[in-house]
Amino acid sequence: MKKNKIFEFIKDLLFPRKCIICGEVIPFGNEDKYVCETCRDNIPYINVKVCEKCGRPLSENETDKYCLECTAKHRTFDKCYAVFPYEVVREGIKRFKFDNIENLGIGFSKLMFDYAKKNFMDEFLNFDYLVPIPIHEKRRKERGFNQTEVLVKELSKLSGIPYDNEILLRHKQTKPQNSLTPKERKDNIKGAFFVNKADLIENKKILIVDDIFTTGSTVEEAAKELYKNGAVNVCVFTLSIT
Ligand SMILES: [Zn+2]
Ligand SMILES: [Zn+2]
């Protein structure tokens, strides 16, 4: 065994790698470091009819192109592509964000890229920039990294689409959205972002990347700012949707 192999082996013994989908321990030497063999054979991507606006699976009483929510209100972004139903990646996302396992984001971005290849590759490669949803400096210090930046960095590496994490910045520290009602979420996030490099996005197509789409108020606020500053098209690519 080479030295780094031995190091990897010891690390795996001490901190066994767990599948980012089902949480099962992945045996050492497995080719895929992020997804176990069982899940690999059947990755639970969203594969039903979805709302053409927000990407959420349509329910039985939603027979139109759009879900009831997107029919009732204006979305500031052009279109959202969602990869997983939130429930199937909830535990993995929690470990990624709150146990500070930055590495898991790489596994998730590989799955996002695989999903893009299967479902919207032509549109995907048309974007000029990938832009992560920024977090406040204080939260970044606590967590050590911005989870959506990890996703974007790897997606950029895989696709060749440039990313810039200083196009959009956050100057307002907001309360965590998950404890709020839809109306409160909207007010909470209002004015949270500003565009820092407007010259870069003028007439450009931007793909915002986020990890969880709940009501959409965060990405809507971000899209609004990007459009206001000259972007010609703004879409969203989210790892999961509730
Ligand atoms: Zn698994
Ligand atoms: Zn919708």
Side-chain angles (χ1 to χ4, degrees):
M1 263 199 241
K2 284 220 177 85
K3 206 172 161 192
N4 56 355
K5 266 266 175 217
I6 295 172
F7 177 70
E8 221 179 278
F9 178 70
I10 294 170
K11 209 173 87 190
D12 275 16
L13 271 181
L14 294 173
F15 310 100
R17 290 175 188 275
K18 287 183 188 158
C19 171
I20 54 177
I21 294 167
C22 73
E24 285 294 309
V25 170
I26 301 175
F28 179 73
N30 205 50
E31 209 177 307
D32 192 321
K33 295 188 179 78
Y34 305 100
V35 179
C36 76
E37 263 182 51
T38 317
C39 292
R40 174 57 53 194
D41 289 341
N42 192 10
I43 296 187
Y45 294 129
I46 292 176
N47 65 353
V48 293
K49 201 167 179 309
V50 297
C51 167
E52 287 181 27
K53 193 55 145 180
C54 72
R56 182 174 278 134
L58 291 172
S59 64
E60 259 172 44
N61 57 351
E62 292 171 324
T63 50
D64 204 8
K65 294 207 290 193
Y66 303 126
C67 70
L68 293 176
E69 212 179 326
C70 291
T71 309
K73 66 182 256 200
H74 169 71
R75 297 283 201 188
T76 57
F77 55 81
D78 190 52
K79 189 177 167 72
C80 172
Y81 303 92
V83 180
F84 290 106
Y86 176 59
E87 313 82 70
V88 308
V89 284
R90 177 174 29 212
E91 292 310 312
I93 292 181
K94 271 194 198 152
R95 284 196 289 136
F96 170 37
K97 279 163 80 164
F98 303 113
D99 298 346
N100 293 349
I101 311 181
E102 190 171 348
N103 221 358
L104 295 187
I106 296 174
F108 279 131
S109 5
K110 287 185 194 298
L111 295 179
M112 287 178 88
F113 186 61
D114 181 50
Y115 179 85
K117 275 203 284 193
K118 289 185 171 117
N119 294 281
F120 66 104
M121 201 51 175
D122 289 347
E123 294 93 325
F124 184 58
L125 293 177
N126 246 322
F127 289 102
D128 297 299
Y129 277 108
L130 302 174
V131 168
I133 288 292
I135 55 175
H136 194 268
E137 217 25 62
K138 190 161 170 251
R139 193 158 300 157
R140 178 203 289 274
K141 284 209 179 101
E142 286 161 8
R143 192 175 292 161
F145 62 92
N146 171 2
Q147 74 279 7
T148 59
E149 224 173 277
V150 178
L151 297 176
V152 160
K153 218 162 143 181
E154 185 66 19
L155 277 171
S156 168
K157 208 156 64 176
L158 294 166
S159 64
I161 307 169
Y163 81 97
D164 193 307
N165 51 23
E166 286 176 355
I167 286 178
L168 190 70
L169 297 177
R170 185 185 287 241
H171 54 166
K172 179 175 152 191
Q173 207 192 347
T174 51
K175 292 179 207 146
Q177 292 278 80
N178 56 13
S179 57
L180 307 174
T181 66
K183 167 82 174 69
E184 288 169 339
R185 281 170 189 254
K186 215 172 165 215
D187 295 341
N188 184 42
I189 204 75
K190 199 162 193 251
F193 306 118
F194 69 100
V195 167
N196 176 44
K197 295 179 171 175
D199 50 323
L200 275 188
I201 63 164
E202 194 159 353
N203 292 319
K204 294 289 195 288
K205 300 192 192 75
I206 310 288
L207 186 62
I208 298 172
V209 176
D210 205 1
D211 56 349
I212 309 168
F213 184 113
T214 308
T215 61
S217 50
T218 302
V219 289
E220 279 189 37
E221 185 66 21
K224 195 180 83 190
E225 278 310 302
L226 292 164
Y227 272 124
K228 213 166 77 188
N229 284 275
V232 72
N233 180 266
V234 181
C235 291
V236 178
F237 191 18
T238 181
L239 170 61
S240 69
I241 191 158
T242 58

